[in-house]
Amino acid sequence: DTGVSQNPRHKITKRGQNVTFRCDPISEHNRLYWYRQTLGQGPEFLTYFQNEAQLEKSRLLSDRFSAERPKGSFSTLEIQRTEQGDSAMYLCASSRSMSEAFFGQGTRLTVV
Amino acid sequence: GESVGLHLPTLSVQEGDNSIINCAYSNSASDYFIWYKQESGKGPQFIIDIRSNMDKRQGQRVTVLLNKTVKHLSLQIAATQPGDSAVYFCAENISPGANSKLTFGKGITLSVRP
């Protein structure tokens, strides 16, 4: 499968714990995006990388959230001190420059 | 503020009929639009895109129409099939070269009756 891969698919964590998600984009894609989606809503932009550079962050991305793409390939999204409001589907997408973004299957986070 | 939105939350169609899903956008600077399909528990799947220098684009069983005058986008699905049942999102991108983030609408559920 050469699509966007996200791990884990599901994560249940206790409030206050830290979690980290991984995204492996399509190999030739230099752009990588993180989105968050809650039930019944469209995906909301969180952050965007071009190669290893993080070019834009949404104000939704509080200081508890951090994303990295150290070698311009895979990316990680970490949430520290999780809150119940962080429960959502976290989606990763990748694209070549100036083309459509392809999404992964997402990581569903449940904070209990 | 500017936003992308959909007119109706749900659409129910008979199998074999054509479906039309509408979307309004308010950002006049948007120049690239995409329709995505999302099935339960899965990520959004690219259907078709259109750039602002076009008013119509056709794919396999799908057509996207863009009316920049009234800032309206529509997705037409011909001969709707049960497998088309999903949530559909329109998304806009202001300028793919400078700012590649997509802004999504809230989604419309398409339900196909057998």
Side-chain angles (χ1 to χ4, degrees), chain A residues 9 31 33 35 37 40-43 45 56 91 98-101 103-105, chain B residues 32 36 38 41-44 46 49 51 89 96-97 99-102 104-106:
Chain A
R9 291 292 310 278
R31 296 184 176 189
Y33 314 83
Y35 283 81
Q37 186 177 27
Q41 302 295 315
F45 171 79
E56 186 172 350
L91 293 162
M98 302 180 70
S99 69
E100 70 271 15
F103 283 82
Q105 299 285 49
Chain B
Y32 178 57
Y36 283 92
Q38 188 172 27
K42 297 185 178 180
F46 173 88
D49 60 358
R51 299 195 183 274
F89 294 97
N99 176 358
S100 292
K101 71 180 182 186
L102 292 169
F104 284 79
K106 290 188 177 180

PDB file of all heavy atoms in Angstrom, chain A residues 9 31 33 35 37 40-43 45 56 91 98-101 103-105, chain B residues 32 36 38 41-44 46 49 51 89 96-97 99-102 104-106:
ATOM      1  N   ARG A   9      -4.231   3.450  14.774  1.00  0.00           N
ATOM      2  CA  ARG A   9      -5.546   3.796  14.242  1.00  0.00           C
ATOM      3  C   ARG A   9      -6.464   4.285  15.344  1.00  0.00           C
ATOM      4  O   ARG A   9      -7.331   5.125  15.129  1.00  0.00           O
ATOM      5  CB  ARG A   9      -6.180   2.586  13.555  1.00  0.00           C
ATOM      6  CG  ARG A   9      -5.504   2.172  12.268  1.00  0.00           C
ATOM      7  CD  ARG A   9      -5.696   3.224  11.153  1.00  0.00           C
ATOM      8  NE  ARG A   9      -7.070   3.634  10.977  1.00  0.00           N
ATOM      9  CZ  ARG A   9      -7.982   2.969  10.282  1.00  0.00           C
ATOM     10  NH1 ARG A   9      -7.646   1.849   9.681  1.00  0.00           N
ATOM     11  NH2 ARG A   9      -9.211   3.448  10.167  1.00  0.00           N
ATOM     12  N   ARG A  31       4.901  17.799   0.815  1.00  0.00           N
ATOM     13  CA  ARG A  31       4.036  18.541   1.721  1.00  0.00           C
ATOM     14  C   ARG A  31       3.260  17.579   2.607  1.00  0.00           C
ATOM     15  O   ARG A  31       2.742  16.567   2.141  1.00  0.00           O
ATOM     16  CB  ARG A  31       3.076  19.441   0.949  1.00  0.00           C
ATOM     17  CG  ARG A  31       3.801  20.519   0.183  1.00  0.00           C
ATOM     18  CD  ARG A  31       2.864  21.467  -0.507  1.00  0.00           C
ATOM     19  NE  ARG A  31       3.619  22.539  -1.147  1.00  0.00           N
ATOM     20  CZ  ARG A  31       3.064  23.613  -1.672  1.00  0.00           C
ATOM     21  NH1 ARG A  31       1.748  23.759  -1.639  1.00  0.00           N
ATOM     22  NH2 ARG A  31       3.804  24.538  -2.238  1.00  0.00           N
ATOM     23  N   TYR A  33       0.396  17.530   5.996  1.00  0.00           N
ATOM     24  CA  TYR A  33      -0.567  18.328   6.752  1.00  0.00           C
ATOM     25  C   TYR A  33      -1.139  17.486   7.897  1.00  0.00           C
ATOM     26  O   TYR A  33      -1.337  16.279   7.749  1.00  0.00           O
ATOM     27  CB  TYR A  33      -1.747  18.736   5.862  1.00  0.00           C
ATOM     28  CG  TYR A  33      -1.373  19.270   4.503  1.00  0.00           C
ATOM     29  CD1 TYR A  33      -1.097  18.394   3.450  1.00  0.00           C
ATOM     30  CD2 TYR A  33      -1.313  20.631   4.253  1.00  0.00           C
ATOM     31  CE1 TYR A  33      -0.761  18.870   2.191  1.00  0.00           C
ATOM     32  CE2 TYR A  33      -0.981  21.115   2.994  1.00  0.00           C
ATOM     33  CZ  TYR A  33      -0.709  20.229   1.977  1.00  0.00           C
ATOM     34  OH  TYR A  33      -0.379  20.697   0.728  1.00  0.00           O
ATOM     35  N   TYR A  35      -4.619  17.513  10.312  1.00  0.00           N
ATOM     36  CA  TYR A  35      -5.953  18.055  10.509  1.00  0.00           C
ATOM     37  C   TYR A  35      -6.589  17.353  11.705  1.00  0.00           C
ATOM     38  O   TYR A  35      -6.232  16.225  12.050  1.00  0.00           O
ATOM     39  CB  TYR A  35      -6.850  17.803   9.283  1.00  0.00           C
ATOM     40  CG  TYR A  35      -6.595  18.722   8.123  1.00  0.00           C
ATOM     41  CD1 TYR A  35      -5.537  18.485   7.243  1.00  0.00           C
ATOM     42  CD2 TYR A  35      -7.409  19.827   7.882  1.00  0.00           C
ATOM     43  CE1 TYR A  35      -5.300  19.337   6.175  1.00  0.00           C
ATOM     44  CE2 TYR A  35      -7.174  20.674   6.810  1.00  0.00           C
ATOM     45  CZ  TYR A  35      -6.123  20.424   5.957  1.00  0.00           C
ATOM     46  OH  TYR A  35      -5.897  21.254   4.895  1.00  0.00           O
ATOM     47  N   GLN A  37     -10.518  16.327  13.195  1.00  0.00           N
ATOM     48  CA  GLN A  37     -11.923  16.244  12.812  1.00  0.00           C
ATOM     49  C   GLN A  37     -12.753  15.718  13.971  1.00  0.00           C
ATOM     50  O   GLN A  37     -12.457  14.667  14.528  1.00  0.00           O
ATOM     51  CB  GLN A  37     -12.108  15.330  11.588  1.00  0.00           C
ATOM     52  CG  GLN A  37     -13.523  15.306  11.052  1.00  0.00           C
ATOM     53  CD  GLN A  37     -13.658  14.454   9.810  1.00  0.00           C
ATOM     54  OE1 GLN A  37     -12.901  13.511   9.600  1.00  0.00           O
ATOM     55  NE2 GLN A  37     -14.623  14.788   8.965  1.00  0.00           N
ATOM     56  N   GLY A  40     -19.267  14.963  12.872  1.00  0.00           N
ATOM     57  CA  GLY A  40     -20.202  15.823  12.162  1.00  0.00           C
ATOM     58  C   GLY A  40     -19.601  17.081  11.583  1.00  0.00           C
ATOM     59  O   GLY A  40     -20.313  17.901  11.000  1.00  0.00           O
ATOM     60  N   GLN A  41     -18.301  17.248  11.738  1.00  0.00           N
ATOM     61  CA  GLN A  41     -17.636  18.442  11.234  1.00  0.00           C
ATOM     62  C   GLN A  41     -16.626  18.083  10.152  1.00  0.00           C
ATOM     63  O   GLN A  41     -16.176  16.944  10.051  1.00  0.00           O
ATOM     64  CB  GLN A  41     -16.905  19.167  12.368  1.00  0.00           C
ATOM     65  CG  GLN A  41     -17.801  19.582  13.531  1.00  0.00           C
ATOM     66  CD  GLN A  41     -18.831  20.608  13.112  1.00  0.00           C
ATOM     67  OE1 GLN A  41     -18.527  21.573  12.417  1.00  0.00           O
ATOM     68  NE2 GLN A  41     -20.080  20.405  13.528  1.00  0.00           N
ATOM     69  N   GLY A  42     -16.273  19.075   9.361  1.00  0.00           N
ATOM     70  CA  GLY A  42     -15.205  18.880   8.393  1.00  0.00           C
ATOM     71  C   GLY A  42     -13.857  18.950   9.086  1.00  0.00           C
ATOM     72  O   GLY A  42     -13.731  19.459  10.193  1.00  0.00           O
ATOM     73  N   PRO A  43     -12.828  18.425   8.458  1.00  0.00           N
ATOM     74  CA  PRO A  43     -11.478  18.510   9.036  1.00  0.00           C
ATOM     75  C   PRO A  43     -11.050  19.963   9.240  1.00  0.00           C
ATOM     76  O   PRO A  43     -11.323  20.823   8.405  1.00  0.00           O
ATOM     77  CB  PRO A  43     -10.603  17.818   7.993  1.00  0.00           C
ATOM     78  CG  PRO A  43     -11.535  16.917   7.235  1.00  0.00           C
ATOM     79  CD  PRO A  43     -12.831  17.653   7.196  1.00  0.00           C
ATOM     80  N   PHE A  45      -7.769  22.463   9.896  1.00  0.00           N
ATOM     81  CA  PHE A  45      -6.327  22.527   9.698  1.00  0.00           C
ATOM     82  C   PHE A  45      -5.606  22.761  11.024  1.00  0.00           C
ATOM     83  O   PHE A  45      -5.996  23.611  11.824  1.00  0.00           O
ATOM     84  CB  PHE A  45      -6.018  23.670   8.722  1.00  0.00           C
ATOM     85  CG  PHE A  45      -4.565  23.982   8.582  1.00  0.00           C
ATOM     86  CD1 PHE A  45      -3.751  23.192   7.783  1.00  0.00           C
ATOM     87  CD2 PHE A  45      -3.996  25.055   9.241  1.00  0.00           C
ATOM     88  CE1 PHE A  45      -2.407  23.481   7.630  1.00  0.00           C
ATOM     89  CE2 PHE A  45      -2.658  25.356   9.108  1.00  0.00           C
ATOM     90  CZ  PHE A  45      -1.855  24.565   8.296  1.00  0.00           C
ATOM     91  N   GLU A  56       3.322  26.583   8.700  1.00  0.00           N
ATOM     92  CA  GLU A  56       2.146  27.253   9.231  1.00  0.00           C
ATOM     93  C   GLU A  56       1.547  26.428  10.352  1.00  0.00           C
ATOM     94  O   GLU A  56       1.532  25.191  10.285  1.00  0.00           O
ATOM     95  CB  GLU A  56       1.101  27.482   8.131  1.00  0.00           C
ATOM     96  CG  GLU A  56      -0.089  28.311   8.603  1.00  0.00           C
ATOM     97  CD  GLU A  56      -1.020  28.706   7.474  1.00  0.00           C
ATOM     98  OE1 GLU A  56      -0.662  28.510   6.306  1.00  0.00           O
ATOM     99  OE2 GLU A  56      -2.114  29.213   7.789  1.00  0.00           O
ATOM    100  N   LEU A  91      -6.126  13.549  11.435  1.00  0.00           N
ATOM    101  CA  LEU A  91      -5.886  13.144  10.057  1.00  0.00           C
ATOM    102  C   LEU A  91      -4.585  13.727   9.541  1.00  0.00           C
ATOM    103  O   LEU A  91      -4.258  14.883   9.816  1.00  0.00           O
ATOM    104  CB  LEU A  91      -7.017  13.629   9.152  1.00  0.00           C
ATOM    105  CG  LEU A  91      -8.383  12.995   9.377  1.00  0.00           C
ATOM    106  CD1 LEU A  91      -9.470  13.847   8.746  1.00  0.00           C
ATOM    107  CD2 LEU A  91      -8.424  11.596   8.804  1.00  0.00           C
ATOM    108  N   MET A  98       1.409  22.001  -5.226  1.00  0.00           N
ATOM    109  CA  MET A  98       0.318  22.463  -6.079  1.00  0.00           C
ATOM    110  C   MET A  98      -0.528  21.335  -6.637  1.00  0.00           C
ATOM    111  O   MET A  98      -0.910  21.328  -7.792  1.00  0.00           O
ATOM    112  CB  MET A  98       0.856  23.319  -7.232  1.00  0.00           C
ATOM    113  CG  MET A  98       1.636  24.535  -6.736  1.00  0.00           C
ATOM    114  SD  MET A  98       2.260  25.545  -8.073  1.00  0.00           S
ATOM    115  CE  MET A  98       0.722  26.224  -8.697  1.00  0.00           C
ATOM    116  N   SER A  99      -0.813  20.339  -5.818  1.00  0.00           N
ATOM    117  CA  SER A  99      -1.711  19.270  -6.245  1.00  0.00           C
ATOM    118  C   SER A  99      -2.584  18.854  -5.073  1.00  0.00           C
ATOM    119  O   SER A  99      -2.392  19.312  -3.959  1.00  0.00           O
ATOM    120  CB  SER A  99      -0.931  18.081  -6.785  1.00  0.00           C
ATOM    121  OG  SER A  99      -0.235  17.434  -5.741  1.00  0.00           O
ATOM    122  N   GLU A 100      -3.521  17.954  -5.354  1.00  0.00           N
ATOM    123  CA  GLU A 100      -4.481  17.567  -4.329  1.00  0.00           C
ATOM    124  C   GLU A 100      -3.809  16.815  -3.185  1.00  0.00           C
ATOM    125  O   GLU A 100      -2.790  16.148  -3.347  1.00  0.00           O
ATOM    126  CB  GLU A 100      -5.599  16.713  -4.930  1.00  0.00           C
ATOM    127  CG  GLU A 100      -5.173  15.323  -5.371  1.00  0.00           C
ATOM    128  CD  GLU A 100      -4.677  15.284  -6.800  1.00  0.00           C
ATOM    129  OE1 GLU A 100      -4.391  16.346  -7.373  1.00  0.00           O
ATOM    130  OE2 GLU A 100      -4.551  14.164  -7.331  1.00  0.00           O
ATOM    131  N   ALA A 101      -4.390  16.951  -2.003  1.00  0.00           N
ATOM    132  CA  ALA A 101      -3.886  16.266  -0.821  1.00  0.00           C
ATOM    133  C   ALA A 101      -4.581  14.924  -0.666  1.00  0.00           C
ATOM    134  O   ALA A 101      -5.786  14.808  -0.820  1.00  0.00           O
ATOM    135  CB  ALA A 101      -4.120  17.129   0.414  1.00  0.00           C
ATOM    136  N   PHE A 103      -5.353  11.852   1.949  1.00  0.00           N
ATOM    137  CA  PHE A 103      -5.467  11.647   3.389  1.00  0.00           C
ATOM    138  C   PHE A 103      -5.204  10.206   3.798  1.00  0.00           C
ATOM    139  O   PHE A 103      -5.481   9.266   3.037  1.00  0.00           O
ATOM    140  CB  PHE A 103      -6.864  12.032   3.868  1.00  0.00           C
ATOM    141  CG  PHE A 103      -7.080  13.515   3.991  1.00  0.00           C
ATOM    142  CD1 PHE A 103      -7.388  14.271   2.881  1.00  0.00           C
ATOM    143  CD2 PHE A 103      -6.950  14.147   5.217  1.00  0.00           C
ATOM    144  CE1 PHE A 103      -7.582  15.636   2.985  1.00  0.00           C
ATOM    145  CE2 PHE A 103      -7.144  15.512   5.337  1.00  0.00           C
ATOM    146  CZ  PHE A 103      -7.458  16.258   4.216  1.00  0.00           C
ATOM    147  N   GLY A 104      -4.707  10.062   5.017  1.00  0.00           N
ATOM    148  CA  GLY A 104      -4.622   8.752   5.639  1.00  0.00           C
ATOM    149  C   GLY A 104      -5.940   8.394   6.288  1.00  0.00           C
ATOM    150  O   GLY A 104      -6.925   9.143   6.204  1.00  0.00           O
ATOM    151  N   GLN A 105      -5.969   7.230   6.946  1.00  0.00           N
ATOM    152  CA  GLN A 105      -7.198   6.754   7.568  1.00  0.00           C
ATOM    153  C   GLN A 105      -7.460   7.420   8.921  1.00  0.00           C
ATOM    154  O   GLN A 105      -8.538   7.279   9.478  1.00  0.00           O
ATOM    155  CB  GLN A 105      -7.139   5.235   7.761  1.00  0.00           C
ATOM    156  CG  GLN A 105      -6.987   4.472   6.452  1.00  0.00           C
ATOM    157  CD  GLN A 105      -8.261   4.426   5.645  1.00  0.00           C
ATOM    158  OE1 GLN A 105      -8.926   5.431   5.422  1.00  0.00           O
ATOM    159  NE2 GLN A 105      -8.628   3.245   5.199  1.00  0.00           N
TER     160      GLN A 105
ATOM    161  N   TYR B  32      -8.833  27.319  -5.920  1.00  0.00           N
ATOM    162  CA  TYR B  32      -8.711  25.881  -6.141  1.00  0.00           C
ATOM    163  C   TYR B  32      -9.682  25.198  -5.201  1.00  0.00           C
ATOM    164  O   TYR B  32      -9.713  25.511  -4.008  1.00  0.00           O
ATOM    165  CB  TYR B  32      -7.270  25.436  -5.863  1.00  0.00           C
ATOM    166  CG  TYR B  32      -6.995  23.967  -6.010  1.00  0.00           C
ATOM    167  CD1 TYR B  32      -7.245  23.296  -7.191  1.00  0.00           C
ATOM    168  CD2 TYR B  32      -6.458  23.246  -4.951  1.00  0.00           C
ATOM    169  CE1 TYR B  32      -6.970  21.945  -7.324  1.00  0.00           C
ATOM    170  CE2 TYR B  32      -6.179  21.897  -5.068  1.00  0.00           C
ATOM    171  CZ  TYR B  32      -6.429  21.246  -6.258  1.00  0.00           C
ATOM    172  OH  TYR B  32      -6.157  19.914  -6.381  1.00  0.00           O
ATOM    173  N   TYR B  36     -14.277  15.988  -1.563  1.00  0.00           N
ATOM    174  CA  TYR B  36     -13.832  14.762  -0.906  1.00  0.00           C
ATOM    175  C   TYR B  36     -15.049  13.947  -0.493  1.00  0.00           C
ATOM    176  O   TYR B  36     -16.098  14.493  -0.155  1.00  0.00           O
ATOM    177  CB  TYR B  36     -13.002  15.061   0.343  1.00  0.00           C
ATOM    178  CG  TYR B  36     -11.580  15.496   0.083  1.00  0.00           C
ATOM    179  CD1 TYR B  36     -11.255  16.841  -0.028  1.00  0.00           C
ATOM    180  CD2 TYR B  36     -10.559  14.562  -0.043  1.00  0.00           C
ATOM    181  CE1 TYR B  36      -9.950  17.251  -0.255  1.00  0.00           C
ATOM    182  CE2 TYR B  36      -9.246  14.959  -0.267  1.00  0.00           C
ATOM    183  CZ  TYR B  36      -8.952  16.298  -0.373  1.00  0.00           C
ATOM    184  OH  TYR B  36      -7.661  16.692  -0.604  1.00  0.00           O
ATOM    185  N   GLN B  38     -16.089  10.937   2.306  1.00  0.00           N
ATOM    186  CA  GLN B  38     -15.604  10.281   3.513  1.00  0.00           C
ATOM    187  C   GLN B  38     -16.596   9.236   3.983  1.00  0.00           C
ATOM    188  O   GLN B  38     -17.742   9.556   4.302  1.00  0.00           O
ATOM    189  CB  GLN B  38     -15.337  11.293   4.633  1.00  0.00           C
ATOM    190  CG  GLN B  38     -14.642  10.687   5.845  1.00  0.00           C
ATOM    191  CD  GLN B  38     -14.222  11.729   6.860  1.00  0.00           C
ATOM    192  OE1 GLN B  38     -14.816  12.798   6.958  1.00  0.00           O
ATOM    193  NE2 GLN B  38     -13.173  11.421   7.633  1.00  0.00           N
ATOM    194  N   GLY B  41     -15.466   6.027   9.492  1.00  0.00           N
ATOM    195  CA  GLY B  41     -14.237   5.459  10.035  1.00  0.00           C
ATOM    196  C   GLY B  41     -13.027   5.582   9.138  1.00  0.00           C
ATOM    197  O   GLY B  41     -11.959   5.051   9.460  1.00  0.00           O
ATOM    198  N   LYS B  42     -13.177   6.274   8.021  1.00  0.00           N
ATOM    199  CA  LYS B  42     -12.063   6.413   7.076  1.00  0.00           C
ATOM    200  C   LYS B  42     -11.704   7.874   6.873  1.00  0.00           C
ATOM    201  O   LYS B  42     -12.462   8.776   7.203  1.00  0.00           O
ATOM    202  CB  LYS B  42     -12.430   5.779   5.734  1.00  0.00           C
ATOM    203  CG  LYS B  42     -12.684   4.283   5.805  1.00  0.00           C
ATOM    204  CD  LYS B  42     -12.930   3.713   4.418  1.00  0.00           C
ATOM    205  CE  LYS B  42     -13.128   2.203   4.489  1.00  0.00           C
ATOM    206  NZ  LYS B  42     -13.362   1.617   3.129  1.00  0.00           N
ATOM    207  N   GLY B  43     -10.524   8.097   6.312  1.00  0.00           N
ATOM    208  CA  GLY B  43     -10.120   9.447   5.976  1.00  0.00           C
ATOM    209  C   GLY B  43     -10.806   9.923   4.707  1.00  0.00           C
ATOM    210  O   GLY B  43     -11.345   9.127   3.937  1.00  0.00           O
ATOM    211  N   PRO B  44     -10.825  11.235   4.474  1.00  0.00           N
ATOM    212  CA  PRO B  44     -11.423  11.765   3.239  1.00  0.00           C
ATOM    213  C   PRO B  44     -10.709  11.239   2.004  1.00  0.00           C
ATOM    214  O   PRO B  44      -9.483  11.124   1.982  1.00  0.00           O
ATOM    215  CB  PRO B  44     -11.221  13.282   3.387  1.00  0.00           C
ATOM    216  CG  PRO B  44     -11.054  13.519   4.851  1.00  0.00           C
ATOM    217  CD  PRO B  44     -10.345  12.311   5.362  1.00  0.00           C
ATOM    218  N   PHE B  46     -10.154  11.782  -2.066  1.00  0.00           N
ATOM    219  CA  PHE B  46     -10.233  12.751  -3.164  1.00  0.00           C
ATOM    220  C   PHE B  46     -11.185  12.247  -4.245  1.00  0.00           C
ATOM    221  O   PHE B  46     -11.121  11.092  -4.661  1.00  0.00           O
ATOM    222  CB  PHE B  46      -8.839  12.970  -3.741  1.00  0.00           C
ATOM    223  CG  PHE B  46      -8.808  13.813  -4.987  1.00  0.00           C
ATOM    224  CD1 PHE B  46      -8.722  15.180  -4.902  1.00  0.00           C
ATOM    225  CD2 PHE B  46      -8.854  13.224  -6.251  1.00  0.00           C
ATOM    226  CE1 PHE B  46      -8.679  15.964  -6.053  1.00  0.00           C
ATOM    227  CE2 PHE B  46      -8.824  13.986  -7.396  1.00  0.00           C
ATOM    228  CZ  PHE B  46      -8.724  15.367  -7.299  1.00  0.00           C
ATOM    229  N   ASP B  49     -11.192  17.753  -8.503  1.00  0.00           N
ATOM    230  CA  ASP B  49     -10.828  19.129  -8.177  1.00  0.00           C
ATOM    231  C   ASP B  49     -11.090  20.036  -9.371  1.00  0.00           C
ATOM    232  O   ASP B  49     -11.331  19.566 -10.495  1.00  0.00           O
ATOM    233  CB  ASP B  49      -9.366  19.223  -7.730  1.00  0.00           C
ATOM    234  CG  ASP B  49      -8.366  18.754  -8.789  1.00  0.00           C
ATOM    235  OD1 ASP B  49      -8.792  18.309  -9.874  1.00  0.00           O
ATOM    236  OD2 ASP B  49      -7.153  18.820  -8.510  1.00  0.00           O
ATOM    237  N   ARG B  51      -9.908  24.194 -10.776  1.00  0.00           N
ATOM    238  CA  ARG B  51      -9.240  25.466 -10.540  1.00  0.00           C
ATOM    239  C   ARG B  51     -10.146  26.593 -11.012  1.00  0.00           C
ATOM    240  O   ARG B  51     -11.060  26.392 -11.813  1.00  0.00           O
ATOM    241  CB  ARG B  51      -7.892  25.491 -11.254  1.00  0.00           C
ATOM    242  CG  ARG B  51      -6.977  24.393 -10.751  1.00  0.00           C
ATOM    243  CD  ARG B  51      -5.519  24.549 -11.141  1.00  0.00           C
ATOM    244  NE  ARG B  51      -4.743  23.397 -10.663  1.00  0.00           N
ATOM    245  CZ  ARG B  51      -4.219  23.306  -9.455  1.00  0.00           C
ATOM    246  NH1 ARG B  51      -4.379  24.291  -8.591  1.00  0.00           N
ATOM    247  NH2 ARG B  51      -3.546  22.238  -9.087  1.00  0.00           N
ATOM    248  N   PHE B  89     -17.546  16.457   1.371  1.00  0.00           N
ATOM    249  CA  PHE B  89     -17.040  17.761   1.781  1.00  0.00           C
ATOM    250  C   PHE B  89     -16.519  18.517   0.564  1.00  0.00           C
ATOM    251  O   PHE B  89     -15.814  17.945  -0.266  1.00  0.00           O
ATOM    252  CB  PHE B  89     -15.867  17.614   2.754  1.00  0.00           C
ATOM    253  CG  PHE B  89     -16.222  17.009   4.080  1.00  0.00           C
ATOM    254  CD1 PHE B  89     -16.024  15.656   4.305  1.00  0.00           C
ATOM    255  CD2 PHE B  89     -16.729  17.790   5.098  1.00  0.00           C
ATOM    256  CE1 PHE B  89     -16.342  15.091   5.529  1.00  0.00           C
ATOM    257  CE2 PHE B  89     -17.050  17.234   6.333  1.00  0.00           C
ATOM    258  CZ  PHE B  89     -16.853  15.877   6.534  1.00  0.00           C
ATOM    259  N   PRO B  96      -2.610  27.584  -3.967  1.00  0.00           N
ATOM    260  CA  PRO B  96      -1.787  26.393  -3.793  1.00  0.00           C
ATOM    261  C   PRO B  96      -0.295  26.671  -3.739  1.00  0.00           C
ATOM    262  O   PRO B  96       0.441  25.983  -3.070  1.00  0.00           O
ATOM    263  CB  PRO B  96      -2.140  25.536  -5.017  1.00  0.00           C
ATOM    264  CG  PRO B  96      -3.508  25.965  -5.366  1.00  0.00           C
ATOM    265  CD  PRO B  96      -3.578  27.431  -5.057  1.00  0.00           C
ATOM    266  N   GLY B  97       0.155  27.690  -4.435  1.00  0.00           N
ATOM    267  CA  GLY B  97       1.584  27.935  -4.429  1.00  0.00           C
ATOM    268  C   GLY B  97       2.078  28.570  -3.152  1.00  0.00           C
ATOM    269  O   GLY B  97       3.196  28.366  -2.731  1.00  0.00           O
ATOM    270  N   ASN B  99      -0.034  29.093  -0.067  1.00  0.00           N
ATOM    271  CA  ASN B  99      -0.676  28.664   1.176  1.00  0.00           C
ATOM    272  C   ASN B  99      -1.513  27.453   0.849  1.00  0.00           C
ATOM    273  O   ASN B  99      -2.598  27.588   0.301  1.00  0.00           O
ATOM    274  CB  ASN B  99      -1.549  29.792   1.718  1.00  0.00           C
ATOM    275  CG  ASN B  99      -2.311  29.371   2.967  1.00  0.00           C
ATOM    276  OD1 ASN B  99      -2.227  28.237   3.412  1.00  0.00           O
ATOM    277  ND2 ASN B  99      -3.065  30.277   3.517  1.00  0.00           N
ATOM    278  N   SER B 100      -1.000  26.295   1.171  1.00  0.00           N
ATOM    279  CA  SER B 100      -1.635  25.086   0.677  1.00  0.00           C
ATOM    280  C   SER B 100      -2.643  24.469   1.601  1.00  0.00           C
ATOM    281  O   SER B 100      -3.090  23.374   1.375  1.00  0.00           O
ATOM    282  CB  SER B 100      -0.566  24.047   0.349  1.00  0.00           C
ATOM    283  OG  SER B 100       0.186  24.446  -0.751  1.00  0.00           O
ATOM    284  N   LYS B 101      -3.041  25.126   2.664  1.00  0.00           N
ATOM    285  CA  LYS B 101      -3.992  24.485   3.545  1.00  0.00           C
ATOM    286  C   LYS B 101      -5.377  24.522   2.920  1.00  0.00           C
ATOM    287  O   LYS B 101      -5.756  25.455   2.230  1.00  0.00           O
ATOM    288  CB  LYS B 101      -4.013  25.152   4.913  1.00  0.00           C
ATOM    289  CG  LYS B 101      -4.646  26.530   4.935  1.00  0.00           C
ATOM    290  CD  LYS B 101      -4.605  27.101   6.334  1.00  0.00           C
ATOM    291  CE  LYS B 101      -5.282  28.460   6.369  1.00  0.00           C
ATOM    292  NZ  LYS B 101      -5.128  29.108   7.682  1.00  0.00           N
ATOM    293  N   LEU B 102      -6.127  23.464   3.167  1.00  0.00           N
ATOM    294  CA  LEU B 102      -7.498  23.358   2.699  1.00  0.00           C
ATOM    295  C   LEU B 102      -8.452  23.748   3.816  1.00  0.00           C
ATOM    296  O   LEU B 102      -8.261  23.355   4.961  1.00  0.00           O
ATOM    297  CB  LEU B 102      -7.805  21.934   2.252  1.00  0.00           C
ATOM    298  CG  LEU B 102      -7.081  21.434   1.001  1.00  0.00           C
ATOM    299  CD1 LEU B 102      -7.287  19.939   0.837  1.00  0.00           C
ATOM    300  CD2 LEU B 102      -7.571  22.181  -0.227  1.00  0.00           C
ATOM    301  N   PHE B 104     -12.286  23.278   4.912  1.00  0.00           N
ATOM    302  CA  PHE B 104     -13.398  22.374   4.625  1.00  0.00           C
ATOM    303  C   PHE B 104     -14.716  22.948   5.103  1.00  0.00           C
ATOM    304  O   PHE B 104     -14.787  23.657   6.112  1.00  0.00           O
ATOM    305  CB  PHE B 104     -13.190  21.036   5.347  1.00  0.00           C
ATOM    306  CG  PHE B 104     -12.171  20.151   4.718  1.00  0.00           C
ATOM    307  CD1 PHE B 104     -10.816  20.375   4.911  1.00  0.00           C
ATOM    308  CD2 PHE B 104     -12.561  19.076   3.934  1.00  0.00           C
ATOM    309  CE1 PHE B 104      -9.871  19.544   4.335  1.00  0.00           C
ATOM    310  CE2 PHE B 104     -11.628  18.230   3.355  1.00  0.00           C
ATOM    311  CZ  PHE B 104     -10.282  18.467   3.561  1.00  0.00           C
ATOM    312  N   GLY B 105     -15.786  22.587   4.394  1.00  0.00           N
ATOM    313  CA  GLY B 105     -17.126  22.823   4.867  1.00  0.00           C
ATOM    314  C   GLY B 105     -17.512  21.754   5.866  1.00  0.00           C
ATOM    315  O   GLY B 105     -16.724  20.863   6.189  1.00  0.00           O
ATOM    316  N   LYS B 106     -18.755  21.813   6.340  1.00  0.00           N
ATOM    317  CA  LYS B 106     -19.180  20.899   7.391  1.00  0.00           C
ATOM    318  C   LYS B 106     -19.577  19.522   6.881  1.00  0.00           C
ATOM    319  O   LYS B 106     -19.656  18.592   7.642  1.00  0.00           O
ATOM    320  CB  LYS B 106     -20.353  21.504   8.171  1.00  0.00           C
ATOM    321  CG  LYS B 106     -19.942  22.690   9.032  1.00  0.00           C
ATOM    322  CD  LYS B 106     -21.074  23.135   9.926  1.00  0.00           C
ATOM    323  CE  LYS B 106     -20.612  24.264  10.830  1.00  0.00           C
ATOM    324  NZ  LYS B 106     -21.688  24.731  11.729  1.00  0.00           N
TER     325      LYS B 106
END
